Amino acid sequence: MMDKGYIDFERLHAFTRQMAFFVTRAKSNVDCTRRESREVDKSTGLRSDQTIVLQGRRTSHFYPTPLRRVAYYDAEHHRRLVFLTNNFDLPALTIARLYRCRWQVELFFKWIKQNLRIKVFYGNSVNAVKTQVWIAVSVYVLVALLKKELNLDRSLTEILQILSVTPFERTPIFQALSTFPTPNCETSFCNQLALFEL
């Protein structure tokens, strides 16, 4: 599953030669000729299901075999989506739904970036990346359980920020996360010496 920004017909043809299937969004300026059209049920959102051949000089050289083009109208967002695939066996609606599932994966990764605060991966192996993601998810779940157990009004983001700046303090968790303001040195005893005597 790829977005249209990643279309590289040479690479897509390599997938086809390796007997792998792909679904990608088509750019609006794809130069192609329709070879065949199949019936679609327009009540499902499908608009067309066609077999095409690329006509551009470079694209036809990079991808010389036929492709399948599926057009779908997304009523929820009021937009027309056109997909290219090398899979001629699956129903057209399945092709459109597969791409929709890809958006769920994109939203998951967006959620990971926003909530788990993984800025960099410390290792490049599959195991290192999986371990780091699972640790981050585990910490997030533990903080969510803590929020529920202590009935805190703060957001999960705030709780994670507080916990990240107080890991070595001997402050009870409930006190660190309470919404009461911390005492000011001017109103209570402060063991910090003044730098300048006034």
Side-chain angles (χ1 to χ4, degrees):
M1 302 293 157
M2 291 170 275
D3 202 10
K4 59 186 172 182
Y6 296 98
I7 288 185
D8 176 353
F9 286 108
E10 189 174 15
R11 185 172 64 150
L12 294 178
H13 197 253
F15 291 157
T16 303
R17 287 194 310 271
Q18 296 295 323
M19 307 282 290
F21 296 122
F22 64 85
V23 177
T24 185
R25 286 215 15 227
K27 292 184 178 180
S28 59
N29 62 350
V30 172
D31 187 9
C32 61
T33 301
R34 184 180 66 220
R35 277 201 179 162
E36 180 188 352
S37 291
R38 287 170 286 283
E39 290 282 325
V40 294
D41 181 6
K42 294 199 173 182
S43 66
T44 62
L46 289 171
R47 293 298 175 252
S48 66
D49 181 9
Q50 305 166 337
T51 301
I52 62 165
V53 177
L54 298 174
Q55 290 295 303
R57 212 166 76 194
R58 293 186 71 221
T59 56
S60 63
H61 172 71
F62 290 141
Y63 203 101
T65 56
L67 279 167
R68 184 180 185 189
R69 181 172 62 183
V70 175
Y72 178 81
Y73 179 71
D74 182 7
E76 185 181 337
H77 297 101
H78 306 290
R79 61 183 178 167
R80 187 174 191 265
L81 303 169
V82 180
F83 307 111
L84 294 177
T85 184
N86 60 347
N87 188 314
F88 289 88
D89 298 326
L90 290 174
L93 189 58
T94 303
I95 299 295
R97 287 182 176 158
L98 279 172
Y99 193 82
R100 187 179 188 101
C101 291
R102 175 197 166 272
W103 268 111
Q104 297 303 316
V105 174
E106 290 284 330
L107 292 174
F108 174 67
F109 278 109
K110 182 179 178 185
W111 179 86
I112 283 178
K113 283 194 256 183
Q114 288 176 343
N115 295 297
L116 301 186
R117 300 185 173 191
I118 298 175
K119 303 294 182 205
V120 294
F121 287 106
Y122 297 112
N124 295 328
S125 70
V126 173
N127 190 41
V129 172
K130 282 183 179 179
T131 301
Q132 189 173 347
V133 169
W134 276 114
I135 289 170
V137 168
S138 299
V139 168
Y140 189 85
V141 169
L142 286 171
V143 170
L145 290 170
L146 178 76
K147 174 182 166 61
K148 184 177 180 184
E149 192 68 30
L150 296 179
N151 199 17
L152 298 170
D153 292 331
R154 294 182 182 274
S155 70
L156 289 175
T157 307
E158 282 181 295
I159 295 170
L160 283 167
Q161 283 178 338
I162 291 168
L163 292 176
S164 69
V165 296
T166 60
F168 299 112
E169 291 183 12
R170 295 185 62 165
T171 307
I173 289 178
F174 188 74
Q175 184 180 347
L177 299 175
S178 67
T179 55
F180 301 112
T182 56
N184 191 345
C185 285
E186 294 174 1
T187 57
S188 64
F189 174 76
C190 181
N191 63 359
Q192 179 70 37
L193 296 174
L195 184 60
F196 302 106
E197 295 290 335
L198 297 177

